[in-house]
Amino acid sequence: MKRNHFIQILLIIFTMATIQPLSAQEVIKDGIPYVTLNNGILMPRFGIGTYNVLGDSVACDAVLHALRQGYRHIDTAHAYRVERGVGKAVNDFIRESGTPREDIWITSKLWPTEYGEGVTMEAIDKMLDRLQTDHIDLLYLHQPMGDFRGAWRDMEKAVREGKVRALGISNFDASDSLFHAIVDSVEIMPAVMQIELHPYAQRLEWREKANRYGIQMECWFPLGGEMSNGLLLRDSVINAIAAAHGKTAAQIILRWHIQEGFSVIPGATRHDYIEENINIFDFTLSDEEMAQIRALNKEERIFRMDYEQAKQFMLNWKIED
Protein backbone atom coordinates (compact mmCIF):
# COMPACT_ATOMS: atom_id res chain seq x y z
CA MET A 1 0.00 0.00 0.00
CA LYS A 2 2.84 2.41 0.80
CA ARG A 3 4.41 1.83 -2.61
CA ASN A 4 1.08 2.37 -4.41
CA HIS A 5 0.50 5.54 -2.42
CA PHE A 6 3.96 6.83 -3.41
CA ILE A 7 3.30 6.09 -7.10
CA GLN A 8 -0.03 7.91 -6.89
CA ILE A 9 1.66 10.98 -5.40
CA LEU A 10 4.25 10.97 -8.22
CA LEU A 11 1.44 10.73 -10.77
CA ILE A 12 -0.35 13.69 -9.22
CA ILE A 13 2.81 15.81 -9.20
CA PHE A 14 3.63 14.97 -12.82
CA THR A 15 0.09 15.55 -14.02
CA MET A 16 -0.24 18.90 -12.28
CA ALA A 17 3.11 19.99 -13.69
CA THR A 18 2.04 19.31 -17.27
CA ILE A 19 -1.48 20.69 -17.42
CA GLN A 20 -2.39 24.31 -17.86
CA PRO A 21 -3.44 25.52 -14.41
CA LEU A 22 -6.56 27.59 -14.01
CA SER A 23 -5.73 31.26 -14.19
CA ALA A 24 -6.17 33.29 -11.05
CA GLN A 25 -7.95 35.80 -13.30
CA GLU A 26 -10.26 33.24 -14.90
CA VAL A 27 -13.62 34.73 -15.80
CA ILE A 28 -16.80 33.10 -14.51
CA LYS A 29 -19.88 34.24 -16.41
CA ASP A 30 -23.34 32.95 -15.47
CA GLY A 31 -21.60 30.12 -13.64
CA ILE A 32 -19.55 28.98 -16.67
CA PRO A 33 -15.73 29.26 -16.57
CA TYR A 34 -14.01 31.01 -19.47
CA VAL A 35 -10.36 30.69 -20.48
CA THR A 36 -8.22 33.40 -22.05
CA LEU A 37 -6.75 31.85 -25.18
CA ASN A 38 -3.23 32.60 -26.42
CA ASN A 39 -4.68 35.30 -28.72
CA GLY A 40 -6.31 37.12 -25.79
CA ILE A 41 -9.88 36.04 -26.58
CA LEU A 42 -12.16 34.57 -23.91
CA MET A 43 -13.70 31.16 -24.67
CA PRO A 44 -16.29 29.27 -22.58
CA ARG A 45 -14.72 26.03 -21.32
CA PHE A 46 -17.99 24.12 -21.29
CA GLY A 47 -20.24 23.43 -24.26
CA ILE A 48 -22.26 20.95 -26.27
CA GLY A 49 -20.92 18.73 -29.04
CA THR A 50 -22.92 17.75 -32.14
CA TYR A 51 -20.95 14.76 -33.40
CA ASN A 52 -23.15 11.88 -34.60
CA VAL A 53 -26.35 13.94 -34.33
CA LEU A 54 -28.92 12.71 -36.83
CA GLY A 55 -29.81 15.70 -38.94
CA ASP A 56 -30.39 19.43 -38.77
CA SER A 57 -33.75 19.28 -37.01
CA VAL A 58 -32.36 17.14 -34.17
CA ALA A 59 -29.30 19.38 -33.91
CA CYS A 60 -31.47 22.50 -33.84
CA ASP A 61 -33.64 21.11 -31.05
CA ALA A 62 -30.64 19.99 -28.95
CA VAL A 63 -28.64 23.19 -29.37
CA LEU A 64 -31.64 25.44 -28.74
CA HIS A 65 -32.45 23.55 -25.53
CA ALA A 66 -28.79 23.75 -24.49
CA LEU A 67 -28.69 27.50 -25.04
CA ARG A 68 -31.84 27.90 -22.96
CA GLN A 69 -30.13 25.94 -20.16
CA GLY A 70 -27.10 28.25 -20.13
CA TYR A 71 -24.71 26.65 -22.62
CA ARG A 72 -22.75 29.23 -24.59
CA HIS A 73 -20.32 27.07 -26.56
CA ILE A 74 -21.44 24.89 -29.49
CA ASP A 75 -19.02 22.55 -31.25
CA THR A 76 -19.88 21.32 -34.74
CA ALA A 77 -18.19 20.51 -38.07
CA HIS A 78 -18.92 20.36 -41.77
CA ALA A 79 -18.44 16.59 -41.52
CA TYR A 80 -21.27 16.35 -38.98
CA ARG A 81 -23.67 17.78 -41.61
CA VAL A 82 -25.71 19.71 -39.04
CA GLU A 83 -24.27 23.23 -39.37
CA ARG A 84 -27.56 24.58 -40.72
CA GLY A 85 -29.40 23.20 -37.70
CA VAL A 86 -26.83 24.74 -35.36
CA GLY A 87 -27.08 28.10 -37.11
CA LYS A 88 -30.87 28.07 -36.93
CA ALA A 89 -30.79 27.24 -33.20
CA VAL A 90 -28.38 30.08 -32.47
CA ASN A 91 -30.38 32.62 -34.44
CA ASP A 92 -33.69 31.47 -32.96
CA PHE A 93 -32.23 31.80 -29.47
CA ILE A 94 -30.84 35.25 -30.19
CA ARG A 95 -34.25 36.41 -31.41
CA GLU A 96 -36.17 34.97 -28.46
CA SER A 97 -33.73 35.95 -25.69
CA GLY A 98 -32.04 39.10 -26.93
CA THR A 99 -28.65 37.51 -26.19
CA PRO A 100 -25.94 39.13 -28.32
CA ARG A 101 -24.26 36.92 -30.92
CA GLU A 102 -20.94 37.83 -29.26
CA ASP A 103 -22.03 35.91 -26.15
CA ILE A 104 -22.38 32.62 -28.07
CA TRP A 105 -19.26 30.71 -29.10
CA ILE A 106 -19.57 28.75 -32.35
CA THR A 107 -16.88 26.24 -33.26
CA SER A 108 -16.70 24.36 -36.55
CA LYS A 109 -14.19 22.29 -38.52
CA LEU A 110 -12.98 22.06 -42.10
CA TRP A 111 -12.75 18.68 -43.81
CA PRO A 112 -9.50 17.61 -45.60
CA THR A 113 -11.17 17.88 -49.04
CA GLU A 114 -11.57 21.60 -48.25
CA TYR A 115 -7.85 22.17 -47.61
CA GLY A 116 -5.65 24.34 -49.82
CA GLU A 117 -5.12 28.02 -50.55
CA GLY A 118 -8.16 29.45 -52.31
CA VAL A 119 -10.11 26.25 -51.75
CA THR A 120 -10.24 26.78 -47.99
CA MET A 121 -11.34 30.41 -48.19
CA GLU A 122 -14.25 29.38 -50.38
CA ALA A 123 -15.10 26.61 -47.90
CA ILE A 124 -15.08 29.12 -45.02
CA ASP A 125 -17.51 31.39 -46.87
CA LYS A 126 -19.83 28.43 -47.45
CA MET A 127 -19.55 27.48 -43.79
CA LEU A 128 -20.54 30.99 -42.74
CA ASP A 129 -23.57 30.70 -44.99
CA ARG A 130 -24.59 27.33 -43.54
CA LEU A 131 -24.19 28.62 -39.98
CA GLN A 132 -26.05 31.87 -40.85
CA THR A 133 -23.40 33.99 -39.13
CA ASP A 134 -20.84 36.60 -40.09
CA HIS A 135 -18.02 35.01 -38.11
CA ILE A 136 -16.88 31.70 -36.65
CA ASP A 137 -15.41 31.92 -33.16
CA LEU A 138 -13.11 28.91 -33.48
CA LEU A 139 -12.22 27.14 -36.73
CA TYR A 140 -10.39 23.83 -36.72
CA LEU A 141 -8.50 21.75 -39.19
CA HIS A 142 -10.57 18.62 -38.58
CA GLN A 143 -7.94 16.05 -39.56
CA PRO A 144 -4.13 16.17 -40.07
CA MET A 145 -3.97 15.13 -43.73
CA GLY A 146 -4.06 16.68 -47.17
CA ASP A 147 -2.85 20.23 -47.80
CA PHE A 148 -3.39 21.43 -44.24
CA ARG A 149 -0.55 23.95 -44.53
CA GLY A 150 -2.28 25.65 -47.47
CA ALA A 151 -5.55 25.52 -45.56
CA TRP A 152 -3.93 27.17 -42.55
CA ARG A 153 -2.70 30.07 -44.66
CA ASP A 154 -6.28 30.69 -45.81
CA MET A 155 -7.51 30.34 -42.23
CA GLU A 156 -5.01 33.02 -41.17
CA LYS A 157 -6.39 35.26 -43.93
CA ALA A 158 -9.90 34.63 -42.62
CA VAL A 159 -8.78 35.79 -39.15
CA ARG A 160 -7.33 38.97 -40.59
CA GLU A 161 -10.58 39.59 -42.50
CA GLY A 162 -12.70 39.11 -39.37
CA LYS A 163 -14.42 35.94 -40.57
CA VAL A 164 -12.79 33.81 -37.86
CA ARG A 165 -11.66 34.74 -34.35
CA ALA A 166 -9.43 31.80 -33.32
CA LEU A 167 -7.80 28.81 -35.01
CA GLY A 168 -7.41 25.27 -33.76
CA ILE A 169 -6.14 21.81 -34.66
CA SER A 170 -8.24 18.68 -34.20
CA ASN A 171 -6.77 15.16 -34.03
CA PHE A 172 -3.22 16.36 -34.64
CA ASP A 173 -2.13 13.87 -31.99
CA ALA A 174 -1.77 11.33 -34.83
CA SER A 175 1.98 11.97 -34.72
CA ASP A 176 4.53 14.37 -33.29
CA SER A 177 5.64 15.40 -36.79
CA LEU A 178 2.14 16.43 -37.83
CA PHE A 179 1.75 18.55 -34.70
CA HIS A 180 5.08 20.29 -35.30
CA ALA A 181 4.30 20.81 -38.99
CA ILE A 182 1.72 23.34 -37.77
CA VAL A 183 3.06 24.87 -34.57
CA ASP A 184 6.60 25.42 -35.85
CA SER A 185 5.72 27.13 -39.12
CA VAL A 186 2.60 29.29 -38.79
CA GLU A 187 2.03 33.01 -38.31
CA ILE A 188 -1.01 32.52 -36.09
CA MET A 189 -0.47 29.86 -33.44
CA PRO A 190 -3.29 27.36 -32.81
CA ALA A 191 -5.26 28.54 -29.80
CA VAL A 192 -6.95 25.20 -29.09
CA MET A 193 -6.15 21.54 -29.68
CA GLN A 194 -9.03 19.07 -29.68
CA ILE A 195 -8.35 15.38 -29.00
CA GLU A 196 -9.94 12.39 -27.29
CA LEU A 197 -9.32 12.87 -23.56
CA HIS A 198 -11.06 11.35 -20.53
CA PRO A 199 -10.10 9.64 -17.25
CA TYR A 200 -8.94 6.43 -18.98
CA ALA A 201 -6.88 8.35 -21.58
CA GLN A 202 -5.57 11.48 -19.89
CA ARG A 203 -3.03 12.14 -22.66
CA LEU A 204 -0.29 13.46 -20.39
CA GLU A 205 2.30 13.69 -23.15
CA TRP A 206 0.05 15.73 -25.45
CA ARG A 207 -1.08 17.99 -22.65
CA GLU A 208 2.54 18.83 -21.92
CA LYS A 209 3.28 19.52 -25.62
CA ALA A 210 0.26 21.79 -25.99
CA ASN A 211 1.17 23.61 -22.79
CA ARG A 212 4.58 24.57 -24.23
CA TYR A 213 2.80 26.60 -26.91
CA GLY A 214 0.04 28.00 -24.70
CA ILE A 215 -2.54 25.89 -26.52
CA GLN A 216 -5.79 25.17 -24.67
CA MET A 217 -6.80 21.50 -24.56
CA GLU A 218 -10.35 20.64 -25.56
CA CYS A 219 -11.73 17.14 -25.05
CA TRP A 220 -13.94 15.03 -27.27
CA PHE A 221 -15.42 11.75 -26.03
CA PRO A 222 -15.13 13.11 -22.46
CA LEU A 223 -17.64 10.49 -21.31
CA GLY A 224 -16.32 7.79 -23.63
CA GLY A 225 -18.77 8.17 -26.49
CA GLU A 226 -21.38 5.68 -27.62
CA MET A 227 -18.81 3.15 -28.79
CA SER A 228 -17.52 2.78 -25.21
CA ASN A 229 -20.86 1.24 -24.16
CA GLY A 230 -20.77 3.23 -20.92
CA LEU A 231 -17.32 1.99 -19.86
CA LEU A 232 -16.39 5.13 -17.94
CA LEU A 233 -19.86 5.54 -16.49
CA ARG A 234 -19.61 2.10 -14.86
CA ASP A 235 -16.25 2.75 -13.20
CA SER A 236 -16.45 1.92 -9.48
CA VAL A 237 -14.17 4.77 -8.36
CA ILE A 238 -16.15 7.34 -10.31
CA ASN A 239 -19.44 5.97 -9.04
CA ALA A 240 -18.27 6.04 -5.42
CA ILE A 241 -17.35 9.70 -5.80
CA ALA A 242 -20.71 10.34 -7.48
CA ALA A 243 -22.58 8.77 -4.57
CA ALA A 244 -20.67 10.94 -2.10
CA HIS A 245 -21.77 14.11 -3.91
CA GLY A 246 -25.28 13.02 -4.88
CA LYS A 247 -24.31 13.38 -8.54
CA THR A 248 -24.17 11.07 -11.55
CA ALA A 249 -21.02 9.44 -12.90
CA ALA A 250 -21.24 11.67 -15.98
CA GLN A 251 -21.33 14.79 -13.82
CA ILE A 252 -18.27 13.66 -11.85
CA ILE A 253 -16.31 13.03 -15.06
CA LEU A 254 -17.25 16.40 -16.53
CA ARG A 255 -16.44 18.17 -13.28
CA TRP A 256 -13.01 16.47 -13.32
CA HIS A 257 -12.41 17.87 -16.82
CA ILE A 258 -13.33 21.37 -15.68
CA GLN A 259 -11.10 21.25 -12.60
CA GLU A 260 -8.20 19.97 -14.70
CA GLY A 261 -8.47 23.16 -16.76
CA PHE A 262 -9.80 21.63 -19.97
CA SER A 263 -12.51 22.78 -22.31
CA VAL A 264 -15.10 20.01 -22.53
CA ILE A 265 -17.91 19.51 -25.07
CA PRO A 266 -20.11 16.50 -24.19
CA GLY A 267 -22.56 15.59 -26.92
CA ALA A 268 -26.24 14.99 -26.16
CA THR A 269 -29.61 15.31 -27.86
CA ARG A 270 -31.90 14.18 -25.03
CA HIS A 271 -33.05 17.17 -23.01
CA ASP A 272 -32.49 15.44 -19.68
CA TYR A 273 -28.88 14.61 -20.57
CA ILE A 274 -28.28 18.18 -21.75
CA GLU A 275 -29.54 19.43 -18.39
CA GLU A 276 -27.59 16.82 -16.44
CA ASN A 277 -24.31 17.66 -18.18
CA ILE A 278 -24.37 21.36 -17.33
CA ASN A 279 -25.38 20.78 -13.71
CA ILE A 280 -21.76 20.49 -12.56
CA PHE A 281 -21.01 23.95 -11.25
CA ASP A 282 -22.59 23.66 -7.81
CA PHE A 283 -19.96 21.35 -6.28
CA THR A 284 -16.21 20.79 -6.22
CA LEU A 285 -14.16 17.60 -6.24
CA SER A 286 -11.63 17.41 -3.40
CA ASP A 287 -7.90 17.05 -4.02
CA GLU A 288 -8.18 13.42 -2.95
CA GLU A 289 -11.05 12.76 -5.37
CA MET A 290 -9.15 14.42 -8.20
CA ALA A 291 -6.16 12.20 -7.39
CA GLN A 292 -8.34 9.10 -7.41
CA ILE A 293 -9.60 9.94 -10.90
CA ARG A 294 -6.10 10.78 -12.16
CA ALA A 295 -4.99 7.37 -10.92
CA LEU A 296 -7.48 5.74 -13.36
CA ASN A 297 -5.33 6.77 -16.31
CA LYS A 298 -4.40 3.89 -18.63
CA GLU A 299 -3.77 6.00 -21.75
CA GLU A 300 -6.44 3.73 -23.21
CA ARG A 301 -8.23 5.38 -26.12
CA ILE A 302 -11.72 4.29 -27.10
CA PHE A 303 -11.66 5.54 -30.70
CA ARG A 304 -8.98 3.61 -32.57
CA MET A 305 -8.34 4.00 -36.28
CA ASP A 306 -5.15 3.41 -38.22
CA TYR A 307 -3.88 6.72 -39.61
CA GLU A 308 -3.23 5.44 -43.13
CA GLN A 309 -6.67 3.85 -43.37
CA ALA A 310 -8.27 7.02 -42.07
CA LYS A 311 -6.27 9.07 -44.56
CA GLN A 312 -7.56 7.07 -47.52
CA PHE A 313 -11.16 7.46 -46.39
CA MET A 314 -11.02 11.11 -45.39
CA LEU A 315 -9.22 12.37 -48.49
CA ASN A 316 -11.79 10.68 -50.74
CA TRP A 317 -14.98 11.65 -48.92
CA LYS A 318 -16.34 14.94 -50.23
CA ILE A 319 -19.08 16.34 -48.05
CA GLU A 320 -22.07 17.94 -49.69
CA ASP A 321 -22.51 21.66 -49.08
Side-chain angles (χ1 to χ4, degrees):
M1 289 297 292
K2 288 184 178 180
R3 182 175 181 274
N4 289 339
H5 183 64
F6 177 70
I7 292 173
Q8 187 180 74
I9 290 173
L10 287 179
L11 176 63
I12 295 167
I13 292 171
F14 177 73
T15 303
M16 294 305 293
T18 57
I19 68 170
Q20 297 182 57
L22 296 180
S23 169
Q25 299 180 357
E26 182 179 50
V27 173
I28 305 293
K29 188 174 181 181
D30 296 325
I32 304 295
Y34 285 62
V35 61
T36 301
L37 301 177
N38 60 17
N39 60 3
I41 295 174
L42 282 171
M43 180 183 80
R45 288 202 294 114
F46 180 83
I48 185 170
T50 58
Y51 169 70
N52 216 24
V53 172
L54 300 177
D56 285 315
S57 61
V58 178
C60 182
D61 175 77
V63 171
L64 184 56
H65 187 70
L67 289 167
R68 288 168 174 165
Q69 299 304 309
Y71 287 71
R72 291 296 179 267
H73 181 156
I74 304 106
D75 179 274
T76 191
H78 190 189
Y80 302 165
R81 295 178 289 186
V82 293
E83 287 175 315
R84 288 182 176 86
V86 168
K88 184 178 186 307
V90 170
N91 283 294
D92 285 354
F93 180 72
I94 288 171
R95 280 192 293 271
E96 75 174 36
S97 68
T99 300
R101 165 66 180 87
E102 291 70 27
D103 287 354
I104 302 172
W105 184 276
I106 300 176
T107 293
S108 198
K109 310 176 190 77
L110 294 159
W111 195 246
T113 55
E114 300 174 299
Y115 293 176
E117 287 192 82
V119 176
T120 295
M121 187 60 75
E122 182 181 354
I124 292 170
D125 288 337
K126 290 179 178 179
M127 180 178 285
L128 289 167
D129 183 63
R130 289 191 299 271
L131 288 166
Q132 304 168 50
T133 186
D134 63 357
H135 71 276
I136 299 161
D137 296 282
L138 172 61
L139 181 63
Y140 282 110
L141 291 170
H142 201 158
Q143 301 289 346
M145 50 197 63
D147 185 13
F148 58 79
R149 293 177 182 85
W152 196 267
R153 287 190 287 273
D154 264 15
M155 291 162 69
E156 290 176 328
K157 291 177 187 176
V159 171
R160 290 191 286 269
E161 292 176 8
K163 297 177 180 180
V164 177
R165 298 181 69 210
L167 304 180
I169 49 176
S170 173
N171 301 310
F172 271 69
D173 55 336
S175 76
D176 192 65
S177 62
L178 289 167
F179 174 78
H180 282 284
I182 286 290
V183 299
D184 294 343
S185 62
V186 296
E187 291 183 23
I188 299 178
M189 182 64 60
V192 188
M193 180 174 181
Q194 187 179 115
I195 62 174
E196 179 183 344
L197 196 160
H198 46 72
Y200 283 7
Q202 297 182 27
R203 318 304 301 279
L204 301 182
E205 179 183 355
W206 282 103
R207 290 159 64 179
E208 192 275 331
K209 287 177 184 177
N211 190 50
R212 291 180 205 165
Y213 294 86
I215 299 173
Q216 172 69 24
M217 193 64 74
E218 188 166 80
C219 313
W220 56 262
F221 273 15
L223 302 176
E226 289 184 11
M227 65 179 61
S228 73
N229 295 314
L231 180 66
L232 288 164
L233 302 178
R234 296 192 304 270
D235 185 89
S236 60
V237 171
I238 291 170
N239 276 280
I241 296 172
H245 286 274
K247 292 289 184 177
T248 66
Q251 289 169 327
I252 296 303
I253 294 168
L254 295 174
R255 182 68 204 182
W256 172 82
H257 281 81
I258 290 295
Q259 287 185 219
E260 287 286 62
F262 306 137
S263 174
V264 61
I265 46 167
T269 56
R270 281 179 44 171
H271 287 195
D272 55 343
Y273 287 166
I274 291 169
E275 293 164 17
E276 176 186 339
N277 288 345
I278 199 174
N279 189 21
I280 59 171
F281 299 106
D282 58 351
F283 76 103
T284 302
L285 296 174
S286 69
D287 290 345
E288 181 181 357
E289 289 166 337
M290 290 292 289
Q292 288 174 343
I293 298 174
R294 289 185 192 122
L296 297 175
N297 187 30
K298 310 170 187 177
E299 295 299 355
E300 179 183 311
R301 292 193 58 183
I302 291 164
F303 187 88
R304 301 186 185 97
M305 182 180 285
D306 176 80
Y307 176 74
E308 290 302 322
Q309 292 177 337
K311 185 177 178 180
Q312 291 302 312
F313 166 71
M314 293 172 185
L315 289 177
N316 288 297
W317 181 41
K318 189 178 188 305
I319 308 164
E320 294 181 4
D321 292 329

